[in-house]
Amino acid sequence: MLARIFPDRFVPILLATILLASLLPVRAAAVPVAQGVSTAAIVLLFFLNGVRLPRDEVLHGIRNWKLQGSALAFCFGVMALLGLGAQYATAPLLPATLALGFLFLGILPSTVQSATAASSMAGGNVAASVVAAALLNLVGVIAAPLLFAALAGSVGEISGAAALRIALILLLPFIAGQFAQRWLRPWVLKHKGLTTAMDRTAIAVAVYVAFSAAVVAGIWDQLAGREIAIVIGAVAILLALSFGGAWAFGALLKLARPDRVTLLFAGAQKSIAVGAPLAATLFPPAIAGMVLVPILVYHMAQLILSAWIAPALARQPTGVVLE
């Protein structure tokens, strides 16, 4: 029963992290220590991402420009506009920083492992999925904060200090990982279980520290049942528009069915692995936790939805085109 409700084990990990931060938030003298641990975990996460994402496969996959271009356009174009629309729609109903979280959700890149796994399960183009995930994350490290700054107005202005933090904490470790691929990638691929656990631990630590600060700042005083219901409802609408829109976009472009499946998951999924570190870099701790609420809900919901959709697509005959 639990496997059907939570097809991806990371969903209960995120739920447990939020519960732990709510019951035992980091306080007082422990805050700088926790933030230091979180920063170190983020650096390790992006270093491992740099080691893992294959440059040669990315360069080879770029030749499928129609699929890769459509994934980039949907992830950073259509989804950014959907996030902006959700922010405007919820702004009169929610605290400003919480509504801003919908725009933040929209500008994030896609997931890597879960989008590729869902595409593989659904009969998609697995090689293209790996390339799409790599490209979206390579572009996203730079494009996501720039898009947020462009669409958020004065609220999204990136200071010099924030830009330097992005470069030092996110970009440089990723580049270092790319350079270290020659020596470390075989070890990382051989120990996938260990590196996946390290990834998820790093994300959980970043979420715990950010959400702890939000709890101390009174997030649960601002989020009553009404606000939580609005967030869940808005995320449900976003999921329908994003997954339905990605599938329709693939049909509009007349992509082959495997490529269309790849676009579905690469375009509609959003990455907490980038979202949590980026929020911790862009926003003060108390604000970061509130901004993360929509992407936390969306990320958990997309994993469950993808785990239900992928087998259904796999059962369809190859020649059948779903409208």
Side-chain angles (χ1 to χ4, degrees):
M1 177 64 70
L2 284 175
R4 292 179 66 86
I5 298 173
F6 301 125
D8 191 291
R9 294 180 182 179
F10 194 43
V11 175
I13 291 174
L14 283 176
L15 289 173
T17 300
I18 293 169
L19 179 62
L20 180 63
S22 300
L23 297 175
L24 296 171
V26 179
R27 297 180 184 272
V31 171
V33 176
Q35 289 177 346
V37 172
S38 176
T39 299
I42 291 167
V43 169
L44 176 62
L45 173 67
F46 276 79
F47 177 77
L48 287 175
N49 283 340
V51 171
R52 200 161 23 221
L53 294 179
R55 289 194 306 275
D56 53 343
E57 290 184 23
V58 171
L59 294 175
H60 178 73
I62 289 174
R63 297 173 187 173
N64 190 346
W65 62 267
K66 191 174 183 180
L67 172 59
Q68 304 304 338
S70 60
L72 286 165
F74 193 87
C75 183
F76 295 116
V78 176
M79 288 299 296
L81 293 177
L82 287 177
L84 183 63
Q87 180 198 3
Y88 279 117
T90 57
L93 307 171
L94 297 174
T97 51
L98 182 56
L100 186 66
F102 284 102
L103 172 58
F104 183 73
L105 182 163
I107 55 86
L108 292 174
S110 178
T111 58
V112 178
Q113 290 94 336
S114 61
T116 303
S119 181
S120 175
M121 189 187 304
N125 186 335
V126 178
S129 295
V130 173
V131 173
L135 277 177
L136 290 170
N137 279 266
L138 283 168
V139 172
V141 174
I142 298 174
L146 295 178
L147 262 177
F148 182 78
L151 295 176
S154 59
V155 180
E157 289 182 2
I158 300 176
S159 66
L164 183 61
R165 279 177 58 81
I166 291 171
L168 292 176
I169 298 175
L170 308 185
L171 192 55
L172 285 182
F174 186 88
I175 294 172
Q178 288 278 290
F179 278 108
Q181 271 190 5
R182 179 180 176 183
W183 302 279
L184 295 181
R185 192 163 186 267
W187 184 90
V188 168
L189 294 179
K190 184 179 179 180
H191 299 85
K192 284 185 177 180
L194 175 61
T195 54
T196 298
M198 292 166 69
D199 282 350
R200 294 185 170 188
T201 300
I203 298 166
V205 168
V207 170
Y208 173 70
V209 173
F211 209 79
S212 287
V215 169
V216 173
I219 187 173
W220 292 122
D221 295 330
Q222 302 176 58
L223 293 183
R226 172 180 171 274
E227 285 75 18
I228 294 173
I230 291 170
V231 170
I232 293 173
V235 165
I237 293 170
L238 269 179
L239 282 168
L241 291 174
S242 60
F243 278 78
W247 188 249
F249 193 43
L252 181 66
L253 295 173
K254 298 182 179 179
L255 295 177
R257 189 179 185 280
D259 288 352
R260 193 176 171 191
V261 170
T262 292
L263 175 62
L264 171 67
F265 295 109
Q269 290 198 4
K270 291 292 181 178
S271 174
I272 190 67
V274 175
L278 186 59
T281 306
L282 285 177
F283 307 107
I287 295 176
M290 184 73 85
V291 171
L292 279 176
V293 170
I295 179 58
L296 285 168
V297 177
Y298 187 94
H299 185 89
M300 291 185 284
Q302 77 184 5
L303 294 178
I304 296 170
L305 182 61
S306 296
W308 290 341
I309 290 175
L313 288 174
R315 287 192 294 267
Q316 294 292 327
T318 305
V320 172
V321 177
L322 300 179
E323 300 297 341

